[in-house]
Amino acid sequence: MMNKKFVTIPILLISALAITGFAYAHWTKTLTIIGNVDTAELDWELRNPKCYDKPGENDYSADCEWHIWQGDKDVGGPTLLELVDTDGDGDNDTLKVTLQNVYPGYFEDIGFHVHNNGEVPLHFTKIIINEQEFTSNPPTLFLDLNGDEIPDIKLLYGNNVGGQLHPCMWWELSLYILILQNDAIEGQTLTFTIQLVAENWSP
Ligand SMILES: [Ca+2]
Ligand SMILES: [Ca+2]
Ligand SMILES: [Ca+2]
Ligand SMILES: [Ca+2]
């Protein structure tokens, strides 16, 4: 019985080493392939922001099902849109939105182009609003923008998040914004930033 044990242990050790060695070699190869793909630049930029409520235009309103209409008064707006290059690489990666003179029921539609200025196909996995990350499901968010822990806006974003974008191509992403019912919000200025997170897309 003793002899049998001494023989069995070395065989198990050799087998374990052989398996580990194989797995290590296989893993190294996989890492090398990923490294090669990553040398192509993944990059994108935001361009051409625009909004519904332009200076001197009557305001828009929306109901809870996003039916939109233009009213007969100009109290809200104009909305300020500013593109920002936060990492200094020469292209704009952030859109800063400033909603002015808002009131409950006020509606705004923000649109902008997302351009793949890198070298690889990409797809967007998240949208970042005021440094909070969201995926495209659900596409409707309630956000507190002035820090009083009461949501101020309801926001709906287009379902392009998750789609595939090839180098040199662009598409338009839009955000519907509705100011929620809350008397304290009347006349306030609300600011938020929009960024996107993308990954390499491969079939
Ligand atoms: Ca960039
Ligand atoms: Ca207006
Ligand atoms: Ca940049
Ligand atoms: Ca609030």
Side-chain angles (χ1 to χ4, degrees), residues 66-175:
W66 298 109
H67 298 123
I68 299 153
W69 65 93
Q70 189 170 22
D72 55 8
K73 62 175 182 177
D74 180 18
V75 175
T79 300
L80 307 178
L81 301 173
E82 183 189 357
L83 289 169
V84 187
D85 176 11
T86 60
D87 56 3
D89 71 346
D91 47 57
N92 294 315
D93 46 80
T94 300
L95 176 62
K96 183 178 175 188
V97 178
T98 304
L99 302 165
Q100 303 192 98
N101 306 310
V102 303
Y103 53 87
Y106 177 75
F107 170 84
E108 181 60 291
D109 177 7
I110 308 295
F112 56 94
H113 294 174
V114 187
H115 171 235
N116 183 341
N117 63 344
E119 296 161 320
V120 291
L122 58 82
H123 72 115
F124 293 100
T125 54
K126 287 174 188 166
I127 186 164
I128 303 176
I129 297 172
N130 280 357
E131 298 179 356
Q132 288 184 74
E133 296 189 350
F134 302 97
T135 61
S136 59
N137 190 18
T140 303
L141 309 173
F142 292 84
L143 298 172
D144 169 30
L145 299 178
N146 59 9
D148 65 359
E149 298 185 358
I150 301 168
D152 310 308
I153 66 168
K154 178 178 163 185
L155 187 148
L156 174 74
Y157 53 90
N159 58 7
N160 275 338
V161 176
Q164 168 199 346
L165 189 62
H166 285 272
C168 295
M169 303 295 285
W170 60 270
W171 65 45
E172 182 164 353
L173 197 72
S174 71
L175 303 170

Side-chain angles (χ1 to χ4, degrees), residues 24-70:
Y24 180 73
H26 186 70
W27 191 48
T28 307
K29 189 179 170 193
T30 308
L31 283 181
T32 306
I33 292 165
I34 291 169
N36 288 342
V37 171
D38 278 349
T39 57
E41 191 192 14
L42 172 75
D43 203 4
W44 64 93
E45 62 179 340
L46 311 186
R47 304 195 300 201
N48 303 327
K50 60 182 195 218
C51 59
Y52 259 34
D53 190 7
K54 297 179 179 63
E57 286 206 1
N58 286 344
D59 303 345
Y60 293 84
S61 295
D63 63 18
C64 60
E65 294 182 319
W66 298 109
H67 298 123
I68 299 153
W69 65 93
Q70 189 170 22

